[in-house]
Amino acid sequence: MKLEIKNFSKTYSNGVAAAKNINLTIHKGMFGLLGQNGAGKSTLMRTIATLQDADSGSIFFNDIDILKNPSALRKVLGYLPQEFGVYPNVSAQELLLHIADMRGIIKQSERKNQVDALLQRVNLYEVRKKNLDSYSGGMKQRFGIAQALLANPELIIVDEPTAGLDPMERNRFYNLLAELGENAVVILSTHIVEDVSTLCNDMAIIGKGEVLLTGKPSEIEISLSGKVWEKKINISEFESYKTKYKVISNRFHLGKMMVTVVANNLPDSAFYQKQPSLEDAYFNLLYTQE
Ligand code: ADP
């Protein structure tokens, strides 16, 4: 099972080059596509999901040429978009039955069985008869997963899934997503580093329409080993630290400021070395890009 993206480029009619010669090979499991807002993630996701065209390049899922034969891909695709937009005034069960019908699950009993099993799996069975527009954000996300999983997709695309979820809902959502990677290629597009570090065994960072880095989260972290330093400073000192050092991030801590700096050697004796996190590696890359 393999998704192969070769030399994919896309420039919108307003002149924005949202994808510039993207090359990625993605295998079974959870793959994280990490990038800031505007990096080009949705452009890539929508193209793989056959919702928009490429200017050039090719995308293959196994033997399926996605750009030439979108209808073949749709049969094996599960897509969870950022927002469904309008939540219709129908129940979760009704809508899932309808979607199952459209995806070609023809036998009524099979449809009912699959839909009920999915509702159980995403923990919405008890509320299956309630209208979708009465669902909370987390419930809507879980409904989204259920619809993406109908008809056992082999390729699952999840675009910015955890924005707007509270920590409990996010946790539940993580657990559900983690199960998916066992039998499918799952691409998780997000600007939240934690989504990737928690869930993904492989990843790419994209920025300004380009792939900046690919690898396993652990390998990407190790690349900064011995080079990440932290120090608690007075807030008023921050500007001077920014000019003196490569400050990749900062956070407030008990009325002081904790700065994270990347340097080959100990910047000054009050800094202490820190185990690099994926977030450090990501911020370091963004710093270098700016
Ligand atoms: P992301 O999902 O990483 O936030 P997008 O793929 O949505 O990134 O956007 C990448 C760039 O392309 C942005 O500059 C965005 O404004 C632009 N863009 C996205 N969709 C369109 C569109 N339909 N028409 C014109 N520009 C677009």
Side-chain angles (χ1 to χ4, degrees):
M1 231 180 232
K2 187 167 80 171
L3 180 76
E4 193 143 40
I5 301 160
K6 281 197 179 146
N7 308 108
F8 163 58
S9 294
K10 173 78 181 178
T11 300
Y12 289 108
S13 53
N14 60 359
V16 174
K20 297 178 207 161
N21 199 32
I22 289 187
N23 288 284
L24 284 173
T25 302
I26 302 177
H27 299 276
K28 193 161 88 172
M30 295 281 298
F31 184 91
L33 186 70
L34 182 63
Q36 289 181 298
N37 287 334
K41 302 182 296 298
S42 295
T43 298
L44 180 59
M45 298 296 95
R46 286 196 303 260
T47 311
I48 300 169
T50 75
L51 298 171
Q52 70 182 43
D53 290 334
D55 292 343
S56 56
S58 70
I59 306 179
F60 274 82
F61 181 62
N62 300 331
D63 296 335
I64 304 171
D65 184 335
I66 292 185
L67 300 173
K68 294 216 174 94
N69 195 358
S71 57
L73 185 82
R74 286 180 200 135
K75 293 196 182 108
V76 296
L77 174 75
Y79 179 50
L80 177 54
Q82 219 162 344
E83 285 267 350
F84 282 105
V86 184
Y87 286 85
N89 205 14
V90 295
S91 75
Q93 191 179 38
E94 280 172 281
L95 189 53
L96 285 179
L97 285 170
H98 176 66
I99 296 170
D101 195 12
M102 289 194 309
R103 298 244 171 103
I105 307 173
I106 295 160
K107 253 176 92 181
Q108 197 176 350
S109 57
E110 192 187 327
R111 235 172 15 232
K112 173 94 174 42
N113 287 343
Q114 262 215 40
V115 165
D116 283 357
L118 272 176
L119 284 164
Q120 298 272 13
R121 188 159 165 204
V122 301
N123 206 13
L124 289 174
Y125 190 75
E126 301 300 318
V127 290
R128 68 193 182 282
K129 294 197 157 60
K130 287 201 171 157
N131 278 352
L132 282 168
D133 57 3
S134 71
Y135 275 17
S136 71
M139 288 157 81
K140 282 176 182 162
Q141 282 290 21
R142 279 181 279 138
F143 173 80
I145 293 203
Q147 68 77 29
L149 289 182
L150 269 174
N152 300 318
E154 293 170 32
L155 174 63
I156 300 172
I157 293 176
V158 187
D159 201 356
E160 299 270 0
T162 60
L165 294 189
D166 66 36
M168 281 271 284
E169 284 170 337
R170 182 182 290 195
N171 233 343
R172 242 185 253 141
F173 188 73
Y174 280 161
N175 288 336
L176 270 172
L177 281 182
E179 282 177 33
L180 304 185
E182 287 169 18
N183 300 310
V185 174
V186 184
I187 309 175
L188 172 69
S189 141
T190 182
H191 64 273
I192 300 170
V193 180
E194 193 198 341
D195 289 349
V196 176
S197 57
T198 312
L199 288 168
C200 300
N201 35 24
D202 235 327
M203 66 178 292
I205 298 176
I206 71 166
K208 298 183 182 149
E210 288 179 89
V211 175
L212 304 176
L213 195 65
T214 57
K216 296 190 179 306
S218 55
E219 293 164 357
I220 292 176
E221 285 168 9
I222 287 170
S223 67
L224 270 189
S225 229
K227 295 182 189 165
V228 185
W229 313 87
E230 268 192 342
K231 183 180 178 181
K232 214 184 271 182
I233 61 168
N234 291 318
I235 293 165
S236 58
E237 295 173 297
F238 184 49
E239 285 306 316
S240 75
Y241 272 76
K242 271 206 302 197
T243 38
K244 227 158 111 191
Y245 299 115
K246 184 179 182 185
V247 178
I248 56 163
S249 67
N250 63 287
R251 62 179 197 278
F252 293 100
H253 186 70
L254 303 175
K256 293 259 201 171
M257 185 176 278
M258 186 70 91
V259 286
T260 306
V261 165
V262 169
N264 286 332
N265 302 305
L266 182 71
D268 76 41
S269 60
F271 273 92
Y272 58 90
Q273 204 177 90
K274 172 181 185 280
Q275 185 87 6
S277 65
L278 185 60
E279 193 168 63
D280 294 330
Y282 179 51
F283 287 156
N284 182 49
L285 197 65
L286 294 182
Y287 184 101
T288 314
Q289 235 217 340
E290 269 161 15

